[in-house]
Amino acid sequence: MDYFWIDREHIPDGLGFSLFSSTHILELSLAIIFCIFMMYIYSKSDEVKRDRIRKIIVVAMWIDEALKHIELLATGQWAPSYLPLHLCSINIFFCSFQAYSKDKKFWADFLWAICVPTVILTLISPAWIKLPFINFMQFHHFSIHALLLAYPMMLMAGREVDRKLSEVPRILIVLAVLAVMDYGVNLFLSTNFMYLMRTDNNGLLNLLQNIFGSHLTGLLILAPIMIILMMMPIGKKKTEVL
């Protein structure tokens, strides 16, 4: 419990867990169980209950995020790098847009194309493995990613994700605007949001850097491919019998 309130930037080595260890498998299993549970509940709910579920999940995300900042400020660990501007945490805003705005279809597609793959990759190779299992920030990182994954997955279970290829340009434009915004913030605050400045020893980004010479070049090539694959319709639509 000596390190319960300490984040990975200030914690000694050797207290965390390794990839696909029993602790990691437990976290992945809990995330999957939570997603399946939310998908089932959502798919069985009427529109009034679905609207309530969406808003409850969004509020839970913001409470989770707020508690993170309160804890970091109280312990003197807060830094600009903790702002919710990474590609995973920035999806809290987009879940909010989907829950409260009128353009629900587009934001559902956006979350499916961007949020789902980025959160899955993060859960498979989490940056918080340096933390011990009993740790406040460990709980935060896991819970916020479980919520971020559950939200678009329950939209898919409720047949609210259209996966229209015609939306790919619009999704890419939003992603490009985010990248430009984060790049400006990175220059101003000396941060590394969206890994635009360096790989921070991320395994996947290091691999892209080795292959393409720059991890950004790799991302520019692979991101549109990933989005197109995520947005491709699955199966054939049923035709009405006249």
Side-chain angles (χ1 to χ4, degrees):
M1 295 295 289
D2 292 342
Y3 298 103
F4 180 79
W5 302 107
I6 308 301
D7 195 20
R8 63 183 184 270
E9 301 294 333
H10 306 93
I11 207 162
D13 293 330
L15 297 177
F17 56 92
S18 58
L19 291 179
F20 303 109
S21 62
S22 57
T23 300
H24 188 202
I25 295 298
L26 174 62
E27 287 195 345
L28 288 174
S29 300
L30 290 174
I32 292 170
I33 291 170
F34 177 67
C35 281
I36 292 174
F37 174 75
M38 291 307 304
M39 290 167 69
Y40 176 78
I41 295 297
Y42 193 81
S43 65
K44 298 298 182 181
S45 299
D46 59 29
E47 183 49 43
V48 174
K49 290 182 179 178
R50 287 185 178 190
D51 183 65
R52 188 179 303 127
I53 291 170
R54 290 194 298 267
K55 290 176 179 177
I56 288 173
I57 294 292
V58 166
V59 170
M61 289 179 190
W62 283 113
I63 291 174
D64 199 330
E65 183 68 16
L67 288 174
K68 177 191 78 173
H69 291 282
I70 291 170
E71 187 271 339
L72 291 169
L73 287 167
T75 56
Q77 299 178 89
W78 192 90
S81 59
Y82 288 104
L83 291 170
L85 295 176
H86 290 286
L87 193 52
C88 282
S89 55
I90 205 168
N91 280 296
I92 301 174
F93 293 97
F94 302 129
C95 289
S96 303
F97 296 162
Q98 202 285 327
Y100 289 95
S101 74
K102 294 181 179 179
D103 198 3
K104 295 184 183 300
K105 288 294 185 181
F106 169 73
W107 291 117
D109 282 348
F110 182 91
L111 290 168
W112 176 255
I114 301 298
C115 185
V116 169
T118 54
V119 171
I120 287 176
L121 287 173
T122 302
L123 286 169
I124 291 174
S125 181
W128 59 87
I129 59 173
K130 185 179 179 180
L131 296 171
F133 183 64
I134 306 300
N135 176 276
F136 177 86
M137 290 300 293
Q138 167 81 250
F139 297 153
H140 162 73
H141 291 307
F142 167 73
S143 60
I144 197 67
H145 283 86
L147 289 167
L148 284 168
L149 180 60
Y151 192 97
M153 292 302 294
M154 68 185 192
L155 295 180
M156 175 59 74
R159 300 180 182 275
E160 296 174 10
V161 179
D162 289 341
R163 296 191 305 274
K164 291 182 179 178
L165 285 172
S166 59
E167 291 287 18
V168 170
R170 193 176 171 192
I171 292 171
L172 287 171
I173 289 171
V174 173
L175 195 60
V177 170
L178 289 176
V180 171
M181 179 191 73
D182 269 359
Y183 184 74
V185 173
N186 288 337
L187 292 176
F188 184 70
L189 297 177
S190 299
T191 49
N192 189 33
F193 295 122
M194 291 180 69
Y195 295 101
L196 293 174
M197 315 306 285
R198 55 190 180 276
T199 66
D200 275 354
N201 206 31
N202 179 281
L204 176 60
L205 296 180
N206 284 339
L207 178 62
L208 293 180
Q209 184 160 288
N210 291 333
I211 294 173
F212 296 100
S214 166
H215 71 287
L216 294 180
T217 302
L219 290 174
L220 285 171
I221 294 171
L222 295 180
I225 296 173
M226 177 198 72
I227 292 170
I228 291 171
L229 291 175
M230 291 295 294
M231 294 299 288
M232 291 189 69
I234 300 173
K236 295 181 180 179
K237 292 183 178 180
K238 293 181 179 180
T239 56
E240 295 183 2
V241 179
L242 300 177

